């Protein structure tokens, strides 16, 4: 049985970063993953170009039962630190929108960068077999196929159950529970929402997208694109609010984010012969304009419609409510909200208070970022925090 200073389970973003930092500190590091290569979720991210961080990665862009927990790690290893690492390796990048940073080339560049740094730091890599973990006195012992190893430190970086086709699972949750740690109920996040009942009509708009302001019953407003799908609602604005949405709650969509509350009364005065459909056509895709006008049942020239009815229609267009019947689940979720409770962990070292030597990082922890590179930044920051502590 081989002995190491630290064993890291999960060769994704957080695990690779933790291994790199620990190895550079002279620790004997074993990095283990059941997949046949490291960084598989990195490779598919950002449409293959890896949205590797966000210029606006500050704590209020993250969701957790403890909104202060992530502050320490994010402050000690920032988005600017990761940008410096990317530039050190000569990887060209660009800002796409809203502070989102992408490789000019391929996500493979980020994986290769981290893998090469791990190799230079002497990190040993075991791939292709799941790990069985046991507590052995003060040490942790793992078995992977016909190989076994032990270490005083174990870093759990196996992520959450989102995107199971990439090998994701609830492995971290099961191990944490077995070791006596509590969970915050996990649920899919950054995920399309589904519609049913009277709202099935909107499925006929599949493929139509428009810029909106979307909000969940609890949570901030997001101004980005919404996309109608054959199952319901998607697009960046909807993915963002999905992280705050819970089953049975509503989401609210402002279809006319640049219009004033009295725009329809003004239109009646300026163009009384126009129909609502024609007025909406000036602001929205034609199929969406037609559907909304039909639902509002405002036929004929707007000049012949009472102001009270017009004002009610205007309010609804700027605050249209949907009650999703569910989401597309972990299969389509980019990340997971919830996970291993931050109350169980040190915010500085990510070490479990009840299980000395166990550190938990990345998506497995109850810290979830917004869409747009925030979850990668949490992976980098939490990975560094653990890598510096083991």
């Amino acid at each position: 049985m081989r002995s190491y200073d630290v064993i890291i389970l999960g060769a994704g973003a957080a695990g690779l970063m933790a291994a790199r930092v620990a190895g550079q500190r002279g620790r004997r590091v074993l990095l283990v993953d059941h997949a046949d290569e490291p960084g598989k979720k990195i490779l598919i991210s950002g449409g293959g170009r890896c949205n590797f961080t966000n210029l606006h990665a500050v704590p209020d862009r993250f969701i957790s039962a403890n909104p202060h927990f992530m502050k320490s790690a994010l402050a000690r290893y920032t988005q600017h630190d990761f940008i410096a690492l990317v530039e050190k390796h000569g990887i060209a990048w660009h800002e796409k929108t809203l502070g989102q940073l992408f490789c000019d080339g391929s996500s493979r560049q980020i994986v290769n960068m981290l893998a090469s740094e791990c190799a230079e730091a002497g990190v040993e890599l075991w791939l292709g077999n799941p790990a069985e973990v046991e507590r052995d006195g003060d040490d942790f012992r793992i078995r992977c196929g016909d190989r076994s190893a032990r270490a005083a430190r174990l870093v759990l970086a196996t992520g959450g159950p989102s995107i199971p086709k990439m090998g994701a699972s609830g492995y971290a949750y099961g191990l944490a529970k077995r070791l006596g740690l509590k969970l915050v109920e996990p649920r899919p996040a950054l995920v399309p929402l589904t519609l049913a009942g009277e709202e099935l009509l909107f499925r006929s708009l599949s493929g139509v997208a428009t810029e909106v302001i979307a909000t969940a019953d609890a949570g901030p407003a997001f101004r980005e694109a919404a996309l109608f799908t054959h199952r319901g609602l998607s697009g960046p604005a909807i993915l963002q609010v999905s992280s705050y949405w819970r089953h049975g709650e509503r989401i609210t969509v402002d279809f006319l984010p640049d219009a004033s509350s009295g725009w329809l009364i003004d239109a009646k005065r300026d163009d009384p012969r126009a129909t609502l459909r024609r007025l909406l056509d000036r602001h929205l895709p034609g199929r969406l304009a037609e559907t909304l006008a039909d639902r509002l049942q405002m036929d004929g020239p707007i000049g012949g419609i009472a102001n009270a009815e017009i004002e009610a229609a205007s309010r609804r267009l700027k605050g249209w409510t949907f009650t999703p019947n569910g989401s597309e689940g972990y299969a389509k979720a980019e990340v997971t909200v919830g996970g291993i409770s931050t109350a169980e962990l040190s915010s500085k070292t990510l070490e479990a208070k009840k299980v000395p030597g166990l550190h938990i990082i990345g998506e497995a922890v109850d810290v979830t970022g917004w869409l747009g590179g925030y979850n990668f930044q949490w992976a980098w920051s939490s990975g560094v925090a653990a890598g510096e502590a083991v």
Side-chain angles (χ1 to χ4, degrees):
M1 180 180 295
R2 299 284 300 276
S3 292
Y4 299 85
D5 295 315
V6 55
I7 297 170
I8 299 173
L9 301 184
L16 283 164
M17 181 60 85
R20 164 188 172 265
V21 172
Q24 288 173 345
R25 294 177 56 242
R27 301 297 189 262
R28 291 168 299 158
V29 180
L30 173 63
L31 179 59
V32 178
D33 201 293
H34 68 277
D36 57 3
E37 65 175 317
K40 279 204 161 181
K41 284 178 80 171
I42 299 175
L43 292 174
I44 66 167
S45 66
R49 291 195 172 182
C50 190
N51 180 192
F52 57 79
T53 193
N54 194 292
L55 292 174
H56 310 302
V58 292
D60 67 3
R61 307 292 172 94
F62 294 82
I63 305 164
S64 174
N66 178 358
H68 304 290
F69 180 82
M70 70 293 297
K71 290 180 178 179
S72 175
L74 291 173
R76 284 157 47 221
Y77 190 84
T78 72
Q79 59 270 40
H80 304 293
D81 294 317
F82 192 78
I83 292 167
L85 178 62
V86 167
E87 291 181 338
K88 171 189 160 188
H89 283 259
I91 299 172
W93 57 271
H94 62 278
E95 180 184 354
K96 189 173 180 181
T97 183
L98 300 174
Q100 300 172 23
L101 304 189
F102 291 78
C103 298
D104 285 359
S106 161
S107 301
R108 174 70 65 181
Q109 294 173 285
I110 300 296
V111 175
N112 289 347
M113 172 188 78
L114 294 168
S116 67
E117 293 242 336
C118 284
E120 288 172 12
V123 173
E124 188 171 344
L125 194 58
W126 289 3
L127 297 173
N129 285 295
E132 299 173 16
V133 180
E134 293 180 1
R135 195 81 156 116
D136 185 11
D138 292 334
D139 287 351
F140 297 90
R141 187 172 62 192
I142 70 160
R143 180 177 297 279
C144 299
D146 59 358
R147 296 187 287 187
S148 58
R150 66 188 303 142
R153 299 275 179 172
L154 179 72
V155 179
L156 190 54
T158 55
S162 59
I163 320 183
K165 70 179 181 182
M166 300 300 298
S169 71
Y171 178 92
Y173 305 154
L175 180 56
K177 279 197 217 176
R178 186 153 58 86
L179 294 172
L181 305 183
K182 294 178 182 176
L183 299 182
V184 173
E185 180 186 4
R187 64 184 195 277
L190 299 182
V191 63
L193 300 175
T194 57
L195 299 175
E198 292 183 0
E199 294 173 336
L200 281 174
L201 166 70
F202 288 92
R203 291 191 189 180
S204 66
L205 297 174
S206 181
V208 173
T210 190
E211 186 174 1
V212 303
I213 296 174
T215 55
D217 281 353
F222 294 96
R223 180 169 179 162
E224 293 190 68
L227 170 69
F228 292 93
T229 74
H230 68 287
R231 298 194 64 189
L233 297 166
S234 188
I238 303 303
L239 298 182
Q240 294 279 35
V241 300
S242 75
S243 297
Y244 295 87
W245 176 82
R246 289 181 178 272
H247 192 77
E249 295 179 346
R250 303 172 306 167
I251 64 167
T252 302
V253 174
D254 178 354
F255 282 113
L256 300 164
D258 291 319
S260 66
S261 58
W263 77 278
L264 206 45
I265 292 291
D266 294 340
K268 176 181 177 178
R269 182 190 65 239
D270 298 339
D271 192 0
R273 290 184 295 179
T275 62
L276 178 61
R277 161 74 192 277
R278 197 174 95 195
L279 292 170
L280 290 177
D281 264 339
R282 298 173 185 173
H283 303 278
L284 299 169
R287 288 165 58 199
L288 176 58
E290 180 181 12
T291 298
L292 294 175
D294 287 348
R295 288 299 293 266
L296 291 168
Q297 298 180 327
M298 288 179 60
D299 300 320
I302 196 169
I305 300 173
N307 281 358
E309 189 177 346
I310 289 173
E311 288 169 348
S314 180
R315 285 194 298 273
R316 191 166 182 202
L317 288 164
K318 290 191 67 61
W320 199 287
T321 59
F322 294 91
T323 305
N325 70 330
S327 77
E328 294 197 26
Y330 288 118
K332 295 295 180 68
E334 295 192 20
V335 291
T336 306
V337 163
I340 296 163
S341 173
T342 58
E344 302 282 9
L345 307 174
S346 161
S347 62
K348 183 177 181 181
T349 65
L350 282 299
E351 185 174 11
K353 298 170 184 176
K354 297 175 186 172
V355 188
L358 175 66
H359 301 252
I360 306 173
I361 59 176
E363 190 184 343
V365 180
D366 174 34
V367 174
T368 305
W370 288 4
L371 180 72
Y374 295 96
N375 289 292
F376 271 129
Q377 187 56 46
W378 170 243
W380 314 138
S381 298
S382 62
V384 169
E388 289 178 341
V390 295

